[in-house]
């Protein structure tokens, strides 16, 4: 589904990603771990099409399309979803309105008619119940004045409504209390299916206890220095990152 | 052309057509005389240094004689649920409405039947500059609204002033609003005009709130694309009174909105929210003064501006805290979104504090669209152009936070939405 080949990215003349190779197939869940500043968010943002990154080398294909040539909104309509590490507050834009505009944009792309207002409402309310979110968040402005945890839940709500092909979750578990983590993890598991793939950026084993990854990658200084199965994360939990970095340096 | 002669003719006709009480005729003559000597304020006048009225001085505007009441239907705004709707077309009320609970009549009728009721409002009009004189000399009609003591009048009073296609027309209005002790009311003053037609209008409001009165006031300015419009509101607030004032300037060619607010009794509160939207070559000038003359009052002011194309915005906001006005709480903020290199804003938030135990803040911000927010929306599949519209709309609609009545909230939203046609209209909004 997603094939990242030798991706090099610069930000303001600083090399951030130094040759990433990553193959994600339908049905798989990949976890990306690694120290602060190693480039995890950069990779997520580049995949979602954010401005301000200079791609100096490499290629990314997504469902046989050249991903790097697509505008961010095109990528989203093609099924890519990024849950932000820091979701943005948008005062004045109603949460429900944005959600519906997003869903309709996707449906239009697929040649489907606008979603029926009543069905949509029922569906959102259902999802919100699953995520233990109060319905009042629908009438509020997008993330405006939401707490850190509420913002993360709102990201997952959007994800569940948009039903992406490829979900990239950038530290969605950070800042969540234990109950919220469980709820969010259930949300992620609900999305898992043979047709979809998920990339989870995380620092913690806790999330991986709930959402078991098929693969775990360690990113360090803009390179994937180690890949393995779920057991790798357990090792990291015990030993930290330094041993990998040392091994990589050898 | 002999400008003075032109204005003289306009004035003489107006005097001849209106059988005013003697005191008023006298007052109008005096005002007109002053007007003839001074003419329109120029850029040399400190209060007008950013707003050029020359084009006004060069046009021979005529007081409209008769209403062309045939072509106004398409200008009418949506109906506000449960509202009392009064429609003026080119300065004339087209259908009288009365109420058992409150006093509601035109200036013309009030002057005929009960001139003493409004005499103090007209004679005490603050003559700040020649524009006041012009309005005093030529304004012959408007609405008079008196809400009696302890009356909680829940129906919004929607005053609609429409301007049709009479070329070089001018309309001068004067509205008087009084809320007696403990009275509550909601008033919507709404100006809407035809595009591509030069006309000139002034609208003066004298508003007074007695003790414990509550007023929610909406001022909508959606004049035509070639319209010149000057709005001046004098707002006096007695003890424990409360005002929520909203001011929307969405259209017009050259617009000046002035608000002079004064606390004359303690523990009163005033929340002032403004929005101005400049496109094309529009010029929108807000000139706001809040006067904390007495202690223990609270004022909160937020003006937001969106300026695109070659539009020019002016925000002059002054808060004066007198020596005795201890424990004043005054906040003022002006935020601007600039969408084009050619758009301009002159902003001057000012605090003049003569008391020492006060809490006052003020500030101004000028910025562009938030790239983060734009990417966020795009990453949800929303096309960049639409996402931009949504953000700009969001910046504007943020001013509706303090609109508490839900019917009015819906009305305001719908009205502002007209200016963002590219935003997707979702099915359930179509109703
Ligand atoms: N816009 C930018 N300007 C300058 N430096 C940047 C920019 N974006 C990222 N960087 C730098 O790139 C490096 C990688 O950042 P990135 O956010 O991708 O790290 P991360 O792995 O997500 O870290 P964390 O675990 O703390 O979220 C950091 O050193 C960061 O300072
Ligand atoms: Mg990060």
């Amino acid at each position: 589904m997603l094939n990242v080949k030798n991706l090099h990215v610069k930000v303001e003349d600083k090399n951030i990603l130094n040759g990433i190779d990553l193959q994600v197939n339908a049905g798989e869940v990949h976890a990306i771990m690694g120290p602060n500043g190693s480039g995890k968010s950069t990779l997520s943002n580049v995949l979602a099409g954010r401005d301000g990154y200079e791609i100096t080398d490499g290629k990314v294909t997504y469902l046989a399309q050249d991903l790097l040539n697509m505008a961010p909104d095109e990528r989203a309509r093609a099924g890519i979803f990024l849950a932000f590490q820091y979701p943005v507050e948008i005062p004045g834009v109603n949460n429900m309105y944005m959600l519906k505009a997003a869903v309709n944009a996707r449906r239009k792309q697929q040649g489907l008619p606008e979603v029926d207002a009543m069905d949509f409402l029922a569906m959102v309310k259902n999802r919100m119940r699953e995520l233990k979110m109060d319905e009042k968040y629908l009438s509020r402005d997008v993330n405006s004045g939401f707490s850190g945890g509420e913002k993360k839940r709102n990201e997952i709500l959007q994800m569940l409504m948009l039903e992406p092909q490829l979900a990239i979750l950038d530290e969605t578990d950070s800042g969540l209390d234990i109950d919220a983590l469980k709820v969010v993890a259930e949300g992620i598991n609900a999305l898992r299916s043979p047709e979809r793939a998920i990339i989870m950026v995380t620092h913690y084993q806790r999330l991986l206890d709930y959402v078991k990854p098929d693969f775990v990658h360690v990113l360090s200084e803009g390179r994937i220095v180690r890949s393995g199965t779920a057991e790798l994360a357990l090792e990291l939990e015990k030993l930290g990152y330094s041993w990998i970095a040392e091994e990589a340096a050898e | 052309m002999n400008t003075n002669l032109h204005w003289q003719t306009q004035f003489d006709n107006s005097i001849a057509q209106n059988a005013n009480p003697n005191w008023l005729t006298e007052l109008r003559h005096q005002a007109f005389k002053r007007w003839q000597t001074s003419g329109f304020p120029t850029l040399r006048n400190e209060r007008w240094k950013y707003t050029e009225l020359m084009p006004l001085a060069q046009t021979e505007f005529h007081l409209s004689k008769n209403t062309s009441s045939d072509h106004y239907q398409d200008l009418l705004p949506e109906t506000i649920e449960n509202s009392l709707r009064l429609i003026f077309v080119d300065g004339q009320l087209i259908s009288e409405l009365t109420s058992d609970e409150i006093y509601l009549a035109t200036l013309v009728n009030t002057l005929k039947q009960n001139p003493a009721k409004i005499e103090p409002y007209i004679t005490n009009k603050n003559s700040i500059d020649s524009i006041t004189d012009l309005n005093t000399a030529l304004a012959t009609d408007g609405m008079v609204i008196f809400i009696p003591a302890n009356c909680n009048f829940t129906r919004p009073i929607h005053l609609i002033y429409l301007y049709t296609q009479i070329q070089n027309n001018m309309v001068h209005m004067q509205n008087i609003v009084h809320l007696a002790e403990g009275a509550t009311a909601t008033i919507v003053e709404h100006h809407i005009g035809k595009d591509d037609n030069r006309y000139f209008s002034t609208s003066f409001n004298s508003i007074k709130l007695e003790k414990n009165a509550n007023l929610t006031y909406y001022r909508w300015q959606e004049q035509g694309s070639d319209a010149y419009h000057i709005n001046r509101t004098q707002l006096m607030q007695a003890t424990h009174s409360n005002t929520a004032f909203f001011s929307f300037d969405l259209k017009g060619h050259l617009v000046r909105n002035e608000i002079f607010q004064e606390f004359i009794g303690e523990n009163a509160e005033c929340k002032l929210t403004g929005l101005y939207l400049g496109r094309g070559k529009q010029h929108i000038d807000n000139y706001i003064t809040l006067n904390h003359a007495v202690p223990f009052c609270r004022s909160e002011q937020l003006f937001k501006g969106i300026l695109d194309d070659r539009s020019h915005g002016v925000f002059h906001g002054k808060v004066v805290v007198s020596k005795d006005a201890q424990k004043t709480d005054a906040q003022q903020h002006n935020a601007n979104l600039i969408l084009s290199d050619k758009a301009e804003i002159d902003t001057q938030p000012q605090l003049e504090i003569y008391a020492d135990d006060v809490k006052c803040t003020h500030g101004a911000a000028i910025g562009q669209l938030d790239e983060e927010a734009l990417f966020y929306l795009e990453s949800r599949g929303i096309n960049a152009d639409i996402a931009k519209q949504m953000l700009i709309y969001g910046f504007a609609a943020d001013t509706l936070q303090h609109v508490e009545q839900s019917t009015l909230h819906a009305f305001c939203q719908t009205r502002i939405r007209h200016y963002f046609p590219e935003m997707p209209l979702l099915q359930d909004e179509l109703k």
Side-chain angles (χ1 to χ4, degrees), chain B residues 223-284:
Chain B
Q223 294 283 21
S225 56
D226 286 345
Y228 291 78
H229 180 71
I230 300 173
N231 215 149
R232 194 170 277 179
T233 302
Q234 201 177 330
L235 170 63
M236 309 275 269
Q237 291 191 243
T239 311
H240 281 287
S241 66
N242 208 312
T243 307
F245 195 110
F246 296 89
S247 173
F248 301 99
D249 280 293
L250 306 178
K251 275 187 73 189
H253 174 64
L254 182 146
V255 177
R256 163 88 155 197
N257 171 44
E258 299 185 11
I259 300 171
F260 295 89
Q261 186 276 0
E262 186 164 14
F263 290 113
I264 53 171
E266 299 178 1
N267 291 300
E269 189 178 290
C270 179
K271 266 195 191 141
L272 207 57
T273 311
L275 171 68
Y276 45 96
L277 184 61
R279 288 171 177 172
K281 286 185 177 175
Q282 271 176 277
H283 179 98
I284 304 173

Side-chain angles (χ1 to χ4, degrees), chain A residues 205 208 211-216 228-236:
Chain A
Q205 176 59 36
L208 308 182
V211 186
K212 194 165 179 270
D214 300 299
F215 300 95
V216 174
T229 57
E231 277 69 44
L232 175 60
L234 288 169
E235 254 176 286
L236 291 169

